[in-house]
């Protein structure tokens, strides 16, 4: 399986927008947000990935076929230290359960050395299971799981 992660350029914004709709459709079982009058969920931060520093959009391809995306963001997390986070992560269903998500996550972690904090909402148990497994394997168990008063759900913190 040939996995390619490429930085999305401004011309890729419509592709990302479309994939975000699929992502939010999958996530809708955990999120009470409804589609708008145009039948779209929308993602108000998409433009920020091309106008703000510390935001990194990526497209994922498997054997040349579009398979998903990752949005990475740098924020002041925990004790006001810059931390890399996974703002959004999506792999199309046909590429899941084959190790694709784990390989993509591990490569993204390698691309951004330093401190990471990966958050999942408390209601999204499948995401929690996925990230715990992926991060455990990446760090060989060397991570902390914590909670933050500004977030409802677990956060795995580790260094690359």
């Amino acid at each position: 399986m040939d996995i390619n992660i490429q930085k999305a350029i401004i011309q890729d914004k419509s592709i990302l927008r479309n994939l975000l709709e699929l992502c939010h459709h999958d996530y809708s079982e955990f999120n009470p947000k409804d589609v708008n009058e145009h039948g779209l969920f929308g993602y108000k931060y998409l433009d920020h990935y091309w106008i703000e520093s510390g935001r990194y959009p990526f497209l994922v391809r498997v054997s040349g076929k579009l398979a998903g995306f990752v949005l990475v963001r740098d924020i002041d997390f925990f004790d006001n230290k810059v931390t890399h986070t996974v703002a959004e992560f999506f792999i199309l269903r046909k590429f899941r359960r084959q190790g694709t998500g784990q390989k993509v996550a591990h490569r993204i972690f390698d691309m951004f050395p330093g401190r990471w904090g990966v958050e999942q909402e408390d209601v999204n148990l499948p995401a929690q299971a996925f990230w715990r497994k992926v991060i455990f394997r990446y760090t060989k168990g060397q991570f902390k799981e914590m909670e933050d008063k500004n977030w409802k759900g677990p956060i795995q913190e580790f260094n690359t």
Side-chain angles (χ1 to χ4, degrees), residues 39-131:
L40 301 171
F41 289 98
Y43 188 73
K44 65 182 178 179
Y45 301 108
L46 184 58
D47 288 335
H48 297 243
Y49 282 85
W50 285 275
I51 59 174
E52 289 181 11
S53 63
R55 291 182 185 258
Y56 311 92
F58 298 94
L59 292 173
V60 175
R61 294 185 186 275
V62 174
S63 300
K65 302 207 181 293
L66 198 56
F69 69 90
V70 183
L71 300 179
V72 175
R73 184 172 170 221
D74 290 343
I75 61 172
D76 289 335
F77 212 42
F78 304 123
D79 48 15
N80 293 324
K81 292 183 182 175
V82 173
T83 304
H84 309 299
T85 64
V86 177
E88 301 288 342
F89 186 94
F90 178 71
I91 301 296
L92 287 166
R93 288 181 183 266
K94 74 181 279 181
F95 297 105
R96 296 180 192 171
R97 309 239 183 257
Q98 302 169 39
T100 305
Q102 176 175 286
K103 288 175 185 164
V104 169
H106 288 188
R107 288 188 194 172
I108 289 290
F109 297 155
D110 286 343
M111 291 168 66
F112 294 88
R115 189 176 193 183
W116 278 87
V118 180
E119 309 161 308
Q120 306 92 54
E121 292 187 1
D122 57 356
V123 295
N124 194 341
L125 299 180
Q128 291 176 34
F130 170 79
W131 286 110

